[in-house]
Amino acid sequence: MKERFRVTGGARLSGMVKVDGAKNSVLKLMAAALLAEGTTTLHNCPEILDVPLMMNVLQGLGCEVDIEGQTVHITTPAVVKPDADFDAVRQFRASVAVLGPLTARCGRAVVALPGGDAIGSRPLDMHQSGLEKLGATTRIRHGAVVAEAQALRGAHIKLDFPSVGATENILTASVLAEGRTVLDNAAREPEIVDLCEMLVSMGARIQGAGTSTLTIDGVSSLRPTEHEVVGDRIVAGTWAYAAAMTRGDVTVTGIAPRHLHLPLQKLKLAGADVETYELGFRVRMDRRPTAVDYQTLPFPGFPTDLQPMAIGISTIAEGTSIITENVFESRFRFVDELLRLGADASVDGHHVVLRGIEQLSSTDVWSSDIRAGAGLVLAGLVADGETVVHDVYHIDRGYPHFIENLNRLGAKVERLAAED
């Protein structure tokens, strides 16, 4: 827990990096394996800390889980335990994805209120409301959400906000509900499409994946499947912004560029040369970036998970940028750490104003979440001297082989043990 990264500034990143499967997809796919008895196999899984954490959750529910590199085998029993282990669930937010499958499969789910990143309030109101419209009763009891249903029935559900997590839990519950469910204002993220594709391969009947309206015709049972996880657009976007910030030349493979259309467009506006391919892109930058404004929104808007990278490039851009956060209210904690590095930034509600300077100044900084941690490493690359990033277990939860890939691209980053 006390490991840290020492980042030497001044590197220019150059070369090729491959993106693995998406963290924001694989954990939900693992949870969806609960819906069918038998062995489901997932390929292209990222080697990150959250995958074995989800393995622990599933094992506590009675599944057998084997991780072999980038392949995960999940064998779900005929009778699944409905109570998710408190200690396993509370470690990370994505564990709440078992709520929908357990309610559908067992008629009961007890899932501890999850922990995870410190990026703001993420209540389960929409998850509970959606399950209730499908016929379940829900309540918060002893620090856990409890859902119970003798039978789920299709319903017309409209989300107040296109929440990814609520969309996933309503979707995984409704595939086994009786009749038709129409989910309006559903999340449109590529990870939702990936989940829909896996569920369809399991025998679910889903229309509208990738649109704001999902139509689900319930089936009586599903079968196990084999599925390849979609590429991680947030990791890919991190490499794109790292290339631009360090005035580098980086080619990223394993990702469909359309999943990053707006972030790549923003880099073009900042002065980068961006080439796209079928499953990859190249970002080149040979000068100081130009200031660009950003506002985070649900897909296809600018991803909140790339907001720290937008702030990072803005700290060294020529001119003034305004970044507006519309998804998570506490994500600007990251700015406090950039102030340690000498950034000229001021926060006003859900806006931050950044006046770019030519170079940041190295010091010790602390990660508050996965993306903020990665953003601080990128900031260290454009600072003078050595920047030490603490609490890097956050980064390990979302970025496979992060240091190895950075150093392969020309950076100098070291992992320091607790006693160093």
Side-chain angles (χ1 to χ4, degrees):
M1 295 289 283
K2 296 190 177 181
E3 289 185 329
R4 56 206 189 278
F5 292 165
R6 182 164 60 204
V7 185
T8 302
R12 176 183 182 271
L13 300 189
S14 179
M16 180 178 292
V17 60
K18 182 184 179 300
V19 170
D20 297 323
K23 168 195 176 293
N24 290 338
S25 188
V26 65
L27 305 175
K28 321 305 176 62
L29 301 178
M30 291 176 70
L34 290 166
L35 290 165
E37 179 185 355
T39 300
T40 289
T41 299
L42 301 175
H43 300 286
N44 195 35
C45 299
E47 296 177 79
I48 55 175
L49 287 181
D50 275 12
V51 169
L53 288 177
M54 183 58 87
M55 174 185 73
N56 293 340
V57 172
L58 296 180
Q59 287 175 331
L61 297 171
C63 298
E64 294 180 10
V65 185
D66 294 310
I67 301 176
E68 301 173 356
Q70 292 188 314
T71 299
V72 176
H73 305 280
I74 303 162
T75 302
T76 302
V79 178
V80 176
K81 300 176 183 177
D83 292 25
D85 179 74
F86 182 84
D87 289 332
V89 167
R90 68 185 180 88
Q91 294 184 65
F92 66 121
R93 175 72 188 184
S95 58
V96 77
V98 303
L99 179 61
L102 288 178
T103 305
R105 186 86 194 280
C106 307
R108 174 180 167 83
V110 181
V111 183
L113 295 174
D117 293 332
I119 58 176
S121 174
R122 295 193 278 186
L124 299 182
D125 296 8
M126 284 189 285
H127 302 243
Q128 293 178 251
S129 175
L131 291 178
E132 288 169 0
K133 288 181 179 177
L134 292 173
T137 60
T138 73
R139 63 189 185 278
I140 303 296
R141 187 174 177 85
H142 303 306
V145 57
V146 180
E148 295 176 302
Q150 290 188 344
L152 295 177
R153 293 179 177 83
H156 195 131
I157 303 169
K158 184 173 183 178
L159 298 178
D160 295 333
F161 177 84
S163 160
V164 171
T167 298
E168 289 163 342
N169 268 323
I170 294 168
L171 176 63
T172 52
S174 62
V175 291
L176 291 180
E178 181 182 343
R180 171 169 288 187
T181 297
V182 177
L183 179 57
D184 281 332
N185 202 25
R188 300 164 57 189
E189 274 73 1
E191 295 80 19
I192 295 290
V193 176
D194 200 31
L195 176 59
C196 288
E197 290 177 351
M198 174 174 157
L199 291 171
V200 168
S201 73
M202 296 172 74
R205 299 171 61 192
I206 303 169
Q207 295 179 326
T211 75
S212 59
T213 300
L214 293 174
T215 302
I216 305 103
D217 289 302
V219 296
S220 59
S221 64
L222 296 175
R223 57 183 177 271
T225 191
E226 193 164 348
H227 181 80
E228 181 165 331
V229 184
V230 70
D232 197 316
R233 63 193 170 98
I234 305 303
V235 172
T238 301
W239 294 124
Y241 277 75
M245 288 175 66
T246 63
R247 304 187 192 186
D249 183 353
V250 176
T251 298
V252 181
T253 63
I255 183 72
R258 68 181 183 277
H259 294 164
L260 280 169
H261 176 73
L262 187 53
L264 295 178
Q265 284 297 112
K266 291 289 187 180
L267 286 181
K268 289 181 181 179
L269 291 175
D273 180 14
V274 180
E275 298 178 48
T276 60
Y277 317 109
E278 183 179 358
L279 279 177
F281 58 84
R282 180 182 182 183
V283 174
R284 290 176 288 180
M285 178 73 94
D286 58 7
R287 61 177 178 85
R288 186 179 173 189
T290 299
V292 176
D293 293 339
Y294 297 83
Q295 62 171 325
T296 66
L297 288 167
F299 188 86
F302 193 89
T304 183
D305 280 354
L306 285 180
Q307 183 243 82
M309 292 60 183
I311 292 178
I313 195 171
S314 299
T315 62
I316 58 164
E318 188 172 358
T320 299
S321 302
I322 299 176
I323 285 85
T324 302
E325 174 57 50
N326 293 308
V327 181
F328 293 125
E329 71 275 9
S330 296
R331 200 140 220 175
F332 285 153
R333 292 178 59 180
F334 170 68
V335 176
D336 293 336
E337 300 306 305
L338 287 181
L339 293 175
R340 295 176 186 271
L341 295 169
D344 185 349
S346 56
V347 176
D348 181 9
H350 64 125
H351 307 282
V352 58
V353 178
L354 294 131
R355 292 160 286 275
I357 60 177
E358 290 195 14
Q359 188 176 42
L360 298 177
S361 176
S362 59
T363 189
D364 284 36
V365 289
W366 280 259
S367 305
S368 57
D369 65 78
I370 296 169
R371 311 306 172 184
L376 290 172
V377 172
L378 301 195
L381 293 176
V382 294
D384 62 355
E386 294 181 344
T387 296
V388 177
V389 181
H390 296 261
D391 294 339
V392 298
Y393 65 91
H394 285 297
I395 303 172
D396 292 335
R397 287 182 48 224
Y399 288 85
H401 312 296
F402 193 49
I403 281 186
E404 294 84 352
N405 283 322
L406 279 168
N407 291 338
R408 196 176 300 118
L409 293 172
K412 184 179 179 183
V413 183
E414 302 171 83
R415 183 187 291 269
L416 304 178
E419 65 272 11
D420 289 350

